[in-house]
Amino acid sequence: MKRRDFVGLTGLAAGSLLLPSIPGFGSGLLVPAERLLEPGMDVAMKKRLADVALNAATSAGASYADVRIGRYLNQGIFTREKQVQNIASSESQGVGVRVIANGTWGFASTNQITDEGIAKAAQLAVAIAKANSKVQKEPVKLVPQKGYGVVSWKTPITQNAFEVPIAQKVDLLMETNAKALAGGASFVNSALFQVNEQKYFASTDGSYIDQDVHRIWPTFTVTAIDRASGKFRSRPAMSASMGLGYEYLTPSAKEKIAGPAGSDVIGYKQRYDILEDVTNATKQVKQKLTAKSVTPGKYDLVLDPHHLGLTIHESVGHPLELDRVLGYEANYAGTSFADLAWKAKNIPYGSKAVNIVADKLQPGSLGAVGYDDEGVKTGQWNLIEQGKLVDYQKIRDQAHMVGQDHSDGCCYAQSWQDVQFQRMPNVSLQPGKAKLSVDDMVRGVDKGIYIAGNGSFSIDQQRYNFQFGGIVFYAIEKGKITGMLEDVAYQANTQEFWNSCAASCDESDYRLVGFFNDGKGQPSQSSAVSHGSATTRFNGVNVINTARKIG
Amino acid sequence: MAILSQSEAQAILTKVLSFSKADECEASLSGNIGGNVRTARNTISTSGANDNVSLAVESRFGKRSGVATCNQFDDATLRNCVQRAEEIARLAPESPEYMPLLGPQQYVAAPDSFSQRTAAINPDYRATQVAAGMQLCDQQKLSSAAFLEDSAGFRAVRNSKGLQAYQQRSGITYSVTVRTPDGTGSGYATADYNDASKLDTTALTATAAKKAAMSREAKAIEPGKYTVIMEPAALVANTDASLLAALMGALDARNADEGRSFLSKKGGGNKKGEKLFDERVTIYSDPTNPEIADLTFSGDGRPHQKTTWIEKGVVKNLYTSRYWAQKAGIPDIPRPNGWIMEGGTQSLEDMIKGTAKGILVTRLWYIRPVDPQTLLYTGLTRDGTFYIENGKIKHPVKNFRFNESPIIMLNNLEAIGKPVRMGGNLVPPLKIRDFTFTSLSDAV
């Protein structure tokens, strides 16, 4: 879905510059909130309908078929200052059928969840496959996948966010806004997104997989304006979107981790304290108005996990997607410098301190599911070992291209009406093995910048050259945080940057940051993914000053 | 049933309104049929088709509002949808920004925004269209990746205050990236139309193929400030953020008045009426322009009319919500669909001929905001960047990262070419001096 569609739907065009799109609202029907608590279709009924699809597809000539019967529930609550702007609950139900006929993929979807509707979609998918097979050159080859029979999986949540009364959720956001206004903010927007994907997958391999996936994302943006100078600054939330229920919003002291002394930064692990964060945000956004503008040059960077997760996402997660590596995304998302020929050269991707793991398992992560959207059980595998590239992210129709006999289980579709394809699993930097706190790390830096929170981001289509901003920036001089900086962005090359990685803090500092809106594919689809890391140091990175004068 | 006629659509909407018990009720119907096909490595990878009609009902009790939607049209479902909207409205908080529904509106005569040719597209048509480009690349031993997407449909609105609107529209978009087999050259071309018969996928693929071949063995030149010629696809993208769309997206009156826009004035107020750009910069919107015909009514029923946004470098109008227009006492103008930047008569080739030293930019990519205060954006060149010397393309150059603001860019204007359709807008190629490239990229 395009961002514009979402903004139009929620009526938030003005003042909502910061609210992203989330999949589901676009195709979903707006319903009363209680509807989100009604049970979905009985699992026996889903199995029967799935068989209708598979039989119709094979009868029409498919050599393989899978079907996803999906019910996607979303709720978004949007506020600004003292008012609720919108509360939208949506439900989207339908069936997507994917087939191989004449060695070619075909896909069709329908919201008619009847025997006739589903059979028609299956037949259309086969017809599309046959039409395309006339100009097809390489037949699709799937690595074998055994059927799992009848199985199920649920996100291990404590409290279903849809069961929390809307009034309680609105109260929390209004309290958040009140803290910002009381602290002197000029404006504040806050929002709470909740997602539940109820999806049933079946394939001609003999799998019938029922999954119930939950996600949540509380967020806000505080804005401070100095009318006299005309200057304005914003400070978004340091929350993460998570694979958790409403329990994420119950603060817990043991899930908080302080940034370095002198920084005022607090990081959050599996629980978030929105009232504490907005209080900090309000204080920091006012400091940003008068903070010193950075002197450009080389700095040692100390990057917090909320920030570093986005750099990992763009400079490691994306270049190691096998579809990009092979050229399937050339017209949109791009290709990759880390292609098969590059991998064969054994050039170090990063320093020995860089160990990066892909997984679809971490509790609380957005990637965690039992099975992917083509019925493969999920797992964990290494991408980079001690700085060396060892593997990519693959699905069933790609694995054979790199001589692998199984899929990595990272196939995903944003809804029943979109075709599934390879998407990024959680990609995480492993914490350092030696005991190292953030304060210890900062103590060793002579001239550096501590950056917390993810901000502006841009990277080229082969993932060489990138530029990242952040949320808050602090100067480090002779081992101490000496004050806030503004107008900071760093520009680097992926390989130089990861080879400048000096050390990561230990496991006690490890936490996840997540994104609801990873875009790839044409038509573009959103995927949700998390990235774990501990605070990490990179030496001698090029920092630019982003301030400009206009009119 | 995806493309309903005006009478079919209004009959459903009239029935929906008859079920309403709310103080105010507005119903809208949208329907689309369409499909897409995607290729890579000169073969088809994925494809899809869709066919959907949906109804949205907004019910209001006083200042409380609720919206429900459905996509089945039997009486029971329609009745239920209206009831759900009313339930949601009763539970909603009062909106301090409530505005009553609009009454009957005058819309400009509907332009030809719909093409039967586009509506009639089938899977065979799509396969044939992309096959033409694939064949060309097979012959030239190049590798293509392309995307073709079409849709045709309608939108109809009716409310309890007597507002009625209906229009059909269609669109088709094609984009293609061609790469040399050794990965050292890449070229891009794209086009979009209402009418599929205007689309020439072979010609577009040929352009991308030529750029791919020309961009091999790019030379690195120092980053810095350069005179650039931006092709329309470098100024507006239909897949990503872009510099000119970022500028047009920042003409919101409320953000400007609230102090959080490049249009906010020191001490309060906004910069409407001030000259902020080169005097040759004029940008307006006109829903009746046949080249970019689009809906003549906005999402909330307000008419789209010919509106001048920037005239000879002066900011003439800002768009606004109905609420903010009333509160601030300013003209009530909705955000436009497509817009038109006035240009000259020079073709891209003429502009290259008139350039002593400069860089030709095919496309910009991964454009993200850096500082909303100055509208500073960063991003990179992609798929065909060339050095121009003495009026000729001399050699390809490595891609650059830029950090630049469209405000600064439109002050450093050297020349404006002939506008072409891009992403539903009419966009001229621009020649800009002192465009800021901040680093090199090895990406091809």
Side-chain angles (χ1 to χ4, degrees), chain A residues 46-200:
Chain A
K46 287 195 242 188
K47 181 167 188 298
R48 197 188 67 72
L49 291 170
D51 281 329
V52 169
L54 301 179
N55 291 335
T58 46
S59 302
S63 57
Y64 166 86
D66 60 40
V67 53
R68 289 174 295 116
I69 302 174
R71 179 174 184 239
Y72 291 72
L73 307 178
N74 285 290
Q75 188 176 78
I77 302 175
F78 307 89
T79 78
R80 62 174 288 171
E81 291 91 50
K82 296 175 180 174
Q83 74 200 63
V84 176
Q85 287 177 292
N86 199 4
I87 301 168
S89 302
S90 80
E91 176 186 35
S92 172
Q93 280 192 88
V95 179
V97 186
R98 185 177 67 152
V99 305
I100 298 175
N102 294 352
T104 306
W105 282 123
F107 175 78
S109 61
T110 179
N111 59 16
Q112 309 292 311
I113 312 178
T114 58
D115 289 17
E116 301 73 39
I118 291 170
K120 205 176 134 199
Q123 286 150 5
L124 178 60
V126 174
I128 289 171
K130 286 180 175 171
N132 290 340
S133 72
K134 291 172 204 156
V135 293
Q136 178 78 346
K137 296 190 195 81
E138 309 165 22
V140 177
K141 246 169 89 181
L142 296 184
V143 286
Q145 176 60 49
K146 74 173 175 67
Y148 296 104
V150 175
V151 290
S152 66
W153 187 88
K154 264 189 165 191
T155 306
I157 55 169
T158 317
Q159 190 177 19
N160 182 348
F162 294 128
E163 289 173 6
V164 176
I166 286 181
Q168 185 182 333
K169 295 184 269 199
V170 165
D171 284 350
L172 181 62
L173 295 181
M174 297 318 284
E175 204 182 331
T176 301
N177 295 1
K179 287 245 187 244
L181 296 174
S186 306
F187 298 102
V188 56
N189 289 73
S190 61
L192 177 64
F193 298 91
Q194 304 138 83
V195 176
N196 177 207
E197 296 183 354
Q198 301 171 1
K199 45 191 185 186
Y200 189 84

Side-chain angles (χ1 to χ4, degrees), chain A residues 487-498:
Chain A
D487 311 320
V488 177
Y490 61 93
Q491 276 185 9
N493 168 293
T494 294
Q495 293 162 59
E496 280 172 20
F497 177 79
W498 285 105

